Amino acid sequence: MNSQTSKYTKLIKEESKRLGFLSCGISRAEFLEAEAPRLEKWLNANMHGEMRYMENHFDKRLDPTKLVDGSKSVVSLLLNYFPSQTQNTESYKLSKYAYGTDYHFVIKDKLKQLLQFIQDEIGEVSGRAFVDSAPVLDKAWAAKSGLGWIGKHSNLLTQKVGSFYFIAELIIDLELDYDSPTTDHCGSCTACIDACPTEAIVKPYVVDGSKCISYLTIELKDNIPSDFKNKTDDWMFGCDVCQDVCPWNRFSKPHNEPLFNPHPELLEMTKKDWDEITEDTFKKVFKKSAVKRTKFSGLTRNIKFLKD
Ligand code: SF4
Ligand code: SF4
């Protein structure tokens, strides 16, 4: 550890806080040895369903130096999205992360500002920003950097703030001080496994993505298989059950990012309103939202599946 590296590390972490990130952890950019067999096993068991893109770039996914030339550090960042208000209880459910403006835009913007800050304050540093993008194993990097542990539901979680946050990375060619992983605090708890409506958590730490409601309502382009009829627990976009039941999420605190606030009408809507939703209302309540990625046709397909 040299003093200049420590100074740069401190500067970056302080700036990430100023930009509104919950926390920042840093790892050396290197091959993710522990992840390789896990990812291979998961793909071989076809737990990615139709998410074929998961099979691509296997090497790049495990080794950031293959993704970004000359990279030295992976800077992982968390951004809280836990809302202060939730939907009407008489409504079909929408995952909390999708209430407001699409996080890809919000976070990309913050990452750009962070990279610009690094370039202004430190010098000629180059790198790339990633937000929930297929080639980076963001949970593994965040865990390696001490931002939390990967729970039995396969999300990253922390004792202090639970798990309702986005994970993003800057991969840069600057040597920094590196953080160490934290310990696992799931203990004997099995709340997420027991509560999963589709039994997608097939064993602790292994989620069969092809059974997960998030996959069924967002990723799957075909019709939702009839085996899941009456099992998707009124979720019309994503699913928060395994996070909602997690005891560590009692420590979640509301975010302070105005762009993540939902359109006021969205929280009021009841099942009846969703059943009758028009494309105009869709465009209004989901203006700039990640829900637009499924398009009006995708959301109405999901609603129809719940209703019929
Ligand atoms: S998101 Fe929902 S369906 Fe997917 S593993 Fe968690 S509880 Fe199960
Ligand atoms: S619900 Fe329990 S087992 Fe699941 S992630 Fe939270 S602490 Fe771990």
Side-chain angles (χ1 to χ4, degrees), residues 56-57 60-63 67 128 130 132-137:
N56 305 332
H57 312 298
K60 284 188 183 168
R61 202 182 284 277
L62 291 160
D63 190 349
L67 196 64
R128 276 176 67 188
F130 296 90
D132 192 21
S133 61
V136 184
L137 292 173

Side-chain angles (χ1 to χ4, degrees), residues 105-131:
F105 304 130
V106 180
I107 300 177
K108 266 269 157 86
D109 191 47
K110 288 185 191 289
L111 291 179
K112 263 195 210 153
Q113 291 184 54
L114 184 57
L115 188 56
Q116 187 62 55
F117 169 86
I118 296 171
Q119 288 162 342
D120 293 344
E121 296 296 319
I122 300 173
E124 269 189 41
V125 176
S126 57
R128 276 176 67 188
F130 296 90
V131 184

Side-chain angles (χ1 to χ4, degrees), residues 153 192 195-198 200-201 207 211-214 239-243:
H153 51 16
C192 53
C196 175
T198 53
I201 309 176
V207 173
K211 288 184 177 173
C212 175
I213 297 170
S214 284
C239 168
D240 287 342
V241 172
C242 51
Q243 298 192 78

